[in-house]
Amino acid sequence: MKDGPTSVAADLQALREALEALDQRLLDLVAERMSLVEGVAQAKLDAAWPFRDPERENRLLLHLRRSAVERGLDPHEVERLYRVMLDMSVARQQEFVRGLETVPLRVAYQGVEGSYSHLASQRTYGGRPGGVLLHGHDSLRGATEAVISGAADLALLPIENSTAGSINETYDLLSEGKLRMTGEVVTAIEHCLLALPGVAIEELRTALSHPQALRQCEDFFRAHPDIRAREEYDTAGAARKVKESGDRSIAAVASAAAAATYGLEILMQGIQTEESNATRFVEVALHALPVPPGVPVKTSLVLTLAAERPGALGEILGELSRRGLNLTKLESRPIPGTRWSYRFYLDVDGHASADTFREALAAIQRATSDLRVLGSYPAAR
């Protein structure tokens, strides 16, 4: 006579092995679906068709809910599963297109030729087999709207500087929820004092530049009180204005590349207060992209604390800490139209789809009135 517990254990093991085999078949089917998705991406390119078709997705989800009921499955859970699948499919299409050698990548940035955003875009995307089309915009909003409208595939936006701190406008644009963060780049920033050829520093009375650049050079202005800082929308744009003005009393704080572009002389190099001055840029697109395996990942969140819940922020930080999730940045920004109310932006090491991260998001939900993942993306080295 068979031993009862032994027999049950053997049956359980057999069932587990059958489930594991089924899981492998399911993964094969998902991989096959992703291969078909690449064909869909090519067809959409040929027909100039948008990657996302909400009406078709809704029809598909309705059909899947009905099919789930016929099979005795929970239609809500099936819909949730397929929404993830659709997100994966769109991400695969985006990845496929960005890897094509015949299609140039369209990158938007704020500024003109020679600006730090322009230089960062060149360094990040230069050498791509399919080529890159860079397009500068007068404002950060202009760069993001190019992505939203489909005129650009992505935008590279400055989000913080190691000396002057956060670029608040970028955070405010991200809070609108129309774009996903898909990457980050950290680049060294060296500011130069540029003037018309033959001008001596003693002749200068005004230095033009972006407000962030001016803040990064505060020690220089303290040491040269006769030179007044004046804000412009862009560093390289300030250099161009100096060239066009012909005024020997005006200088620009910009890059060495801007000096070469606009025919100016470098009077002083490396005038930033911190020698190790660097700016972090974030890449934003309409849809998320897959993160390659084995790559360090960072996730950015935006949240609003639940009203009338004392200690909500501490509760959130505690939930992250208990799960070993490393918080790398915490930023607050006022919510327009409300007094003394703030959104919080968090950068956390790890991918939002990982088990511990999902558990943390579920746990902190009760301490927030709004919680969104802005993106999981490869962390800058």
Side-chain angles (χ1 to χ4, degrees):
M1 184 174 179
K2 290 185 178 181
D3 189 322
T6 302
S7 175
V8 169
D11 290 344
L12 181 58
Q13 182 61 29
L15 289 170
R16 286 173 173 167
E17 290 174 357
L19 285 172
E20 289 175 3
L22 185 59
D23 287 337
Q24 294 302 312
R25 287 169 53 196
L26 287 172
L27 287 175
D28 288 340
L29 290 172
V30 171
E32 184 179 345
R33 191 184 201 281
M34 292 301 123
S35 296
L36 291 173
V37 159
E38 291 185 357
V40 171
Q42 185 63 64
K44 287 180 176 179
L45 280 177
D46 295 339
W49 201 265
F51 282 109
R52 207 95 203 208
D53 186 346
E55 187 175 338
R56 183 193 172 280
E57 289 181 10
N58 288 334
R59 289 198 305 269
L60 173 63
L61 292 171
L62 178 61
H63 173 70
L64 289 168
R65 286 197 298 268
R66 289 171 178 167
S67 298
V69 172
E70 291 171 2
R71 290 165 171 78
L73 300 173
D74 185 332
H76 301 290
E77 292 299 321
V78 168
E79 178 180 346
R80 187 164 68 94
L81 173 65
Y82 269 87
R83 285 192 182 278
V84 173
M85 190 73 71
L86 289 171
D87 286 342
M88 286 178 61
S89 297
V90 172
R92 184 64 169 262
Q93 291 178 47
Q94 293 281 355
E95 184 184 36
F96 171 77
V97 170
R98 286 177 64 166
L100 289 175
E101 296 188 1
T102 55
V103 179
L105 185 69
R106 301 167 301 165
V107 179
Y109 63 90
Q110 187 267 323
V112 298
E113 183 180 353
S115 68
Y116 293 107
S117 292
H118 173 246
L119 298 174
S121 298
Q122 280 186 320
R123 282 193 289 267
T124 303
Y125 305 108
R128 180 179 178 271
V132 179
L133 296 175
L134 299 180
H135 184 68
H137 295 264
D138 288 344
S139 65
L140 293 172
R141 180 170 290 279
T144 60
E145 286 179 350
V147 179
I148 294 168
S149 69
D153 300 306
L154 57 90
L156 195 67
L157 310 175
I159 196 167
E160 63 176 317
N161 176 265
S162 59
T163 303
S166 297
I167 291 89
N168 293 329
E169 185 181 355
T170 298
Y171 278 105
D172 292 341
L173 289 168
L174 289 171
S175 73
E176 295 177 6
K178 297 177 181 178
L179 296 171
R180 300 295 300 272
M181 296 171 66
T182 54
E184 66 173 1
V185 178
V186 176
T187 183
I189 301 294
E190 182 179 68
H191 293 303
C192 301
L193 184 69
L194 314 181
L196 293 169
V199 170
I201 193 169
E202 290 77 18
E203 298 178 64
L204 298 178
R205 293 295 175 265
T206 305
L208 316 178
S209 198
H210 188 279
Q212 275 276 332
L214 296 174
R215 284 198 290 273
Q216 292 162 31
C217 301
E218 287 179 344
D219 282 2
F220 167 81
F221 287 105
R222 277 194 288 268
H224 297 82
D226 292 337
I227 303 176
R228 180 174 58 89
R230 195 174 88 196
E231 295 182 358
E232 289 289 330
Y233 80 95
D234 177 44
T235 54
R240 184 172 63 185
K241 182 169 284 191
V242 169
K243 179 64 175 179
E244 292 172 348
S245 73
D247 189 336
R248 295 175 64 88
S249 70
I250 299 178
V253 175
S255 66
T261 300
Y262 300 106
L264 300 177
E265 284 188 0
I266 300 176
L267 296 187
M268 294 183 67
Q269 199 161 352
I271 65 170
Q272 66 275 5
T273 300
E274 296 292 337
E275 186 177 346
S276 60
N277 188 41
T279 293
R280 174 184 171 223
F281 294 84
V282 292
E283 178 189 277
V284 296
L286 277 177
H287 307 292
L289 288 176
V291 178
V295 172
V297 182
K298 182 184 290 185
T299 294
S300 293
L301 310 172
V302 59
L303 59 85
T304 305
L305 301 178
E308 307 301 328
R309 191 179 180 92
L313 181 58
E315 184 179 343
I316 290 168
L317 300 182
E319 294 291 353
L320 294 174
S321 176
R322 274 192 288 278
R323 290 169 175 80
L325 295 172
N326 183 41
L327 179 70
T328 60
K329 183 166 188 193
L330 176 63
E331 180 81 18
S332 66
R333 288 288 297 146
I335 300 175
T338 60
R339 292 182 178 179
W340 322 125
S341 295
Y342 299 86
R343 289 190 186 96
F344 290 85
Y345 296 86
L346 290 75
D347 289 343
V348 184
D349 287 338
H351 200 293
S353 65
D355 289 344
T356 52
F357 214 122
R358 287 191 294 105
E359 290 170 6
L361 291 176
I364 67 178
Q365 189 82 46
R366 60 180 176 268
T368 69
S369 59
D370 179 46
L371 172 63
R372 283 175 285 143
V373 176
L374 296 174
S376 293
Y377 48 89
R381 296 185 181 277

